[in-house]
């Protein structure tokens, strides 16, 4: 696992600096969408890879209009160029759980406060159904 100690000179961990570099690289190169996303999933540790593969299947089945891409080196799905939903592997930042997150483009609004990120340690059938519901709701 890489160092999670913040560098005093810029305040970012080694993992955070690597993610920033990946994002910069993504904006400079011609994207290959799903191929790039699947390549990133294939690089993941087994537990993260299994969840990312299932999430990819759920999102592409539930919302085929979302475009697969990478975002900060992680799987993401965009509409009109804006990331709606993303998966962040636990191994990316050495955390104890992976994250399924929704960005501002997701229409999950529920009153004055609603969740936009979910911790995942594994996926059950109920979790998969909930993810599909959230993705449908995110699209409005």
């Amino acid at each position: 696992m890489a160092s999670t100690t913040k560098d005093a000179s810029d305040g970012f961990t080694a993992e955070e600096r690597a993610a920033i570099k990946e994002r910069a690289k993504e904006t400079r190169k011609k994207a290959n969408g799903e191929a790039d996303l699947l390549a990133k999933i294939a690089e993941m540790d087994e537990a993260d890879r299994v969840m990312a593969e299932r999430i990819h299947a759920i999102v592409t089945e539930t919302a085929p209009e979302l475009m697969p891409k990478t975002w900060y080196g992680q799987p993401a799905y965009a509409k009109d160029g804006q990331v709606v939903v993303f998966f962040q592997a636990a191994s990316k930042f050495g955390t104890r759980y992976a994250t399924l997150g929704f960005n501002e483009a997701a229409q999950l609004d529920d009153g004055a406060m609603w969740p936009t990120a979910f911790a995942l340690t594994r996926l059950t059938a109920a979790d998969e159904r909930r993810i599909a519901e959230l993705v449908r709701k995110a699209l409005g």
Side-chain angles (χ1 to χ4, degrees), residues 8-82:
S9 66
D10 65 10
F12 293 106
T13 65
E15 294 91 344
E16 290 166 336
R17 281 192 301 281
I20 291 167
K21 287 178 183 177
E22 284 218 57
R23 182 66 186 129
K25 192 172 21 171
E26 289 165 357
T27 61
R28 287 191 305 267
K29 75 172 193 139
K30 182 174 164 71
N32 290 321
E34 189 168 29
D36 290 344
L37 178 143
L38 293 173
K40 287 298 180 182
I41 290 174
E43 294 173 3
M44 293 178 183
D45 294 344
E46 183 179 3
D48 288 326
R49 186 176 60 251
V50 167
M51 287 190 289
E53 287 170 346
R54 283 302 306 137
I55 289 169
H56 178 64
I58 293 164
V59 173
T60 56
E61 290 168 13
T62 304
E65 64 270 37
L66 291 179
M67 300 305 299
K69 63 184 282 174
T70 58
W71 188 58
Y72 293 94
Q74 297 290 286
Y77 305 85
K79 181 177 181 182
D80 300 327
Q82 294 184 356

Side-chain angles (χ1 to χ4, degrees), residues 72-93:
Y72 293 94
Q74 297 290 286
Y77 305 85
K79 181 177 181 182
D80 300 327
Q82 294 184 356
V83 171
V84 175
V85 61
F86 64 90
F87 175 80
Q88 180 180 290
S91 58
K92 179 76 173 179
F93 296 107

